[in-house]
Amino acid sequence: MSTTQPLYPLRFKPIFRRYLWGGRRLGEVLGKAIGPEADYAESWEIVDHGEDQSVVVAGSLEGATLHDLVTKRGGELLGKHHPQSRFPLLFKFLDAQQTLSVQVHPDDARAAKLTPPDYGKTEAWYVIDAQPDSLIFAGLKRGFDRDTLARELHRGTAEMCLHRFEPTSGDCVLLPAGLIHAIGAGLLVAEIQQSSDTTYRLFDWNRVGPDGKPRQLHLDLGLEAVDDRLGPGEARVPSATNQPECVQLAACDKFVLNRWQFTAPITIGGDDRCHILAVVGGSALLDGDPTGKPVPFGGTAILPAACGAVKITPVGEATVLDATLP
């Protein structure tokens, strides 16, 4: 890979995942080039995790994987967060036509002991669309603990332990590793997370899979990973930043997630950080983008740290999620 060409705003080819709980909104709402099937569940937009690799789709770096960039141009890509063994964050969209299984993810210490080792998985969800009566399940109800959860899991009545709320479009919920959770039917969600694919399924609502059999559960590993000190998860109240167009939705030791809403050009970057951008309203043109086209609703890009402050021009009005390392 040549290092003579400066880095520029990077667009990638999404990787699709089809699961029994998926639907058609990745294509019909977000404009993804999905096939004819009715079970498109996830669009992995930014990923560097083993064989799952985002591939650049335009410019002099077309065809390069995200891992190529981390290993060969890491200082330019990641700025103050270089070096990294791989790109540490993963961004995806999810379309839940059915309620997902109740899951938990290990923290960094537990995930490091896996074969092969992985990162833990702290994540945050941003609700793009919520159909009436849709629910988010996040954490245990107050007064419930891991022992109570274990008892009800074995009885097949784990739902009685779960805290739940009805989200609305624009809500964000932070889910630390160890917090049990599930996305409810009817939600279209953007997710930022650590670059991990380690999931323990604790409860699947007593459903059966396409083969007529219950899907595999991971009760021992999952219960071990549950942190019952975390309490219920709720939609977060956005906090102001020093930019009037920008609010902070979530911040933790793994990532920071901001939301920009603007009708005139703004700049993002110039802080020696890599920025993941996702357009969740309208569309926006990035200066230096070799496609020359606005990032559409449902589109994503990376601004390498070496790009500095990048001018972003809305087409009318735009809403953009902006995820960085802390």
Side-chain angles (χ1 to χ4, degrees), residues 47-49 86-90 118-120 193-197:
V47 57
D48 170 15
H49 189 271
R86 66 178 190 259
F87 196 79
L89 299 177
L90 190 159
D118 205 354
Y119 293 147
Q193 58 164 91
Q194 291 178 266
S195 182
S196 169
D197 198 27

Side-chain angles (χ1 to χ4, degrees), residues 7-10 76-79 273-275 302-308 310:
L7 293 188
Y8 51 85
L10 300 166
E76 300 162 88
L77 178 68
L78 294 163
R273 284 181 169 86
C274 178
H275 290 253
I302 280 181
L303 299 185
C307 287
V310 175

Side-chain angles (χ1 to χ4, degrees), residues 74-207:
E76 300 162 88
L77 178 68
L78 294 163
K80 68 173 65 177
H81 296 107
H82 174 70
Q84 300 278 342
S85 60
R86 66 178 190 259
F87 196 79
L89 299 177
L90 190 159
F91 188 91
K92 65 175 73 166
F93 294 111
L94 302 94
D95 174 17
Q97 290 301 303
Q98 299 180 40
T99 299
L100 277 65
S101 60
V102 178
Q103 305 172 355
V104 68
H105 307 296
D107 59 18
D108 288 339
R110 295 183 189 281
K113 298 176 183 177
L114 298 173
T115 305
D118 205 354
Y119 293 147
K121 190 178 175 187
T122 288
E123 59 192 294
W125 298 334
Y126 178 83
V127 178
I128 298 172
D129 184 60
Q131 295 175 358
D133 301 320
S134 297
L135 295 172
I136 280 177
F137 301 86
L140 296 171
K141 292 178 180 176
R142 298 198 184 281
F144 288 74
D145 59 16
R146 188 187 318 187
D147 291 340
T148 310
L149 175 64
R151 182 188 70 208
E152 299 309 324
L153 283 170
H154 288 291
R155 291 176 174 176
T157 54
E159 65 267 26
M160 69 175 290
C161 304
L162 304 177
H163 174 70
R164 68 202 69 190
F165 65 92
E166 291 189 27
T168 59
S169 297
D171 280 352
C172 179
V173 58
L174 178 64
L175 304 154
L179 187 80
I180 63 171
H181 58 267
I183 295 175
L187 295 178
L188 181 64
V189 169
E191 177 180 303
I192 183 69
Q193 58 164 91
Q194 291 178 266
S195 182
S196 169
D197 198 27
T198 302
T199 295
Y200 300 136
R201 187 183 299 126
L202 287 170
F203 182 63
D204 201 26
W205 312 98
N206 303 311
R207 296 181 295 203

